[in-house]
Amino acid sequence: MGAGLIGAETASAALALGAEITLIDPVNPPLVPAVGPALARRLHRMHGERGIRVLTGFPAAVTAEGQEHCITLADGSAVHADLVLAGIGAVPETGLAAAAGLDTDNGILVDGHQRTSHPKIYAVGDAARVRLPDGTLLRRAEHWEHARNTGATAAAALLGQELPVHGAPWFWSDRHGVRVEGAGSMAGAGLMVIREKDGLPAAAFLLDEYGRMAGCAAIDGGFTVRAARRIIDRRIPVDPTLLADPAVDLRKLAR
Ligand SMILES: Cc1cc2nc3c(=O)[nH]c(=O)nc-3n(C[C@H](O)[C@H](O)[C@H](O)COP(=O)(O)OP(=O)(O)OC[C@H]3O[C@@H](n4cnc5c(N)ncnc54)[C@H](O)[C@@H]3O)c2cc1C
């Protein structure tokens, strides 16, 4: 259940080990906020092409039936399985923080220094959620590099040092022998530019209202994402036609 990063990675790994898999997600395709619609469609299609049974539906209940489990979908249909994996999102454990009187709201609320509502308590990683000075709550990041970066920020803040500057957020994920990488944010409004390879969408770039790159995602495009991240961090203006042209080396645009 769940065809996001965790569900897709596990399905692909289990398939390689010989398992028979049904992948269920209420959204088709999943991961649009992370990689944009074109790459999300291509990635989701890969499951079916490799022999995974893909269902779009909302799992309403999981019940044990002898040695089996039965997943009942909201439309009344049922899927039987001897093993069920729920990859449907993580819930931050805020119990300890709340018991200490810290402000929490789907995460332990922190400022730009990773400081909680108590001046001597800091929080980092998946469980921390930034609250801007105007009260806006940002989306929690659940990525390895973010956990490391926020740790470095908290350490600098505790030591009274200048805060480190981190680049645009970056993530990677592997499935079916391909690597998905993304940098920045692909979730906002703007112009989505697609770069194709062999007739398939290979990279997607989101340009904001000022024509600056807000996010990038790519399939087997590590160099592209690295260059895009430089473009995002340095706020270099980019021409969408050059971005879409696979003959243009993105590293040149990042200089
Ligand atoms: C299956 C899976 C695959 C992933 N793949 C990727 C990936 O490919 N790329 C990527 O960037 N990210 C990936 N992630 C996300 C990444 O693992 C997390 O973003 C990262 O581990 C967050 O680090 P953290 O230190 O905030 O939390 P965690 O790594 O979860 O560490 C928190 C630690 O705190 C401990 N703890 C909890 N409560 C208490 C307590 N009260 N007292 C003391 N200790 C406590 C926990 O036991 C745990 O050891 C994946 C996550 C999962 C679950």
Side-chain angles (χ1 to χ4, degrees):
M1 301 186 296
L5 296 176
I6 304 284
E9 282 191 15
T10 315
S12 133
L15 183 76
L17 293 170
E20 192 182 312
I21 297 153
T22 302
L23 193 55
I24 310 168
D25 198 288
V27 176
N28 187 1
L31 283 186
V32 170
V35 299
L39 293 192
R41 275 194 297 273
R42 179 179 166 194
L43 289 167
H44 200 46
R45 236 185 1 249
M46 280 179 186
H47 299 305
E49 289 165 357
R50 282 157 177 80
I52 292 174
R53 180 178 169 224
V54 180
L55 299 181
T56 302
F58 187 83
V62 182
T63 45
E65 288 183 359
Q67 296 298 306
E68 275 198 341
H69 299 280
C70 176
I71 301 169
T72 308
L73 303 187
D75 66 3
S77 61
V79 177
H80 295 268
D82 46 18
L83 204 71
V84 179
L85 174 86
I88 54 175
V91 178
E93 172 51 271
T94 54
L96 186 65
L102 307 183
D103 291 351
T104 62
D105 186 345
N106 183 27
I108 306 163
L109 301 187
V110 295
D111 63 12
H113 289 64
Q114 301 300 134
R115 193 188 294 123
T116 67
S117 53
H118 188 291
K120 291 198 171 173
I121 304 180
Y122 290 68
V124 303
D126 281 12
R129 186 178 188 195
V130 172
R131 176 168 55 187
L132 298 178
D134 68 0
T136 307
L137 298 179
L138 301 186
R139 202 182 151 166
R140 281 185 309 102
E142 295 175 0
H143 297 302
W144 175 87
E145 193 193 49
H146 171 264
R148 193 187 61 177
N149 287 347
T150 49
T153 297
L158 285 163
L159 294 169
Q161 294 177 357
E162 200 176 319
L163 300 189
V165 178
H166 307 298
W170 166 78
F171 78 92
W172 85 95
S173 177
D174 298 307
R175 66 171 76 184
H176 301 304
V178 304
R179 169 155 288 207
V180 189
E181 283 184 60
S185 169
M186 295 290 281
L191 173 69
M192 194 66 82
V193 181
I194 304 298
R195 179 175 280 218
E196 292 194 348
K197 191 178 174 198
D198 302 327
L200 291 170
F205 309 93
L206 180 67
L207 304 187
D208 68 14
E209 56 182 317
Y210 307 106
R212 279 193 299 253
M213 197 184 290
C216 162
I219 297 173
D220 283 339
F223 286 126
T224 300
V225 173
R226 225 169 295 158
R229 197 180 190 193
R230 270 205 301 279
I231 292 171
I232 297 168
D233 289 343
R234 295 179 191 170
R235 302 166 75 81
I236 300 169
V238 275
D239 178 346
T241 47
L242 296 179
L243 275 183
D245 184 351
V248 175
D249 187 338
L250 214 65
R251 286 173 290 189
K252 285 196 180 132
L253 301 182
R255 278 183 202 141

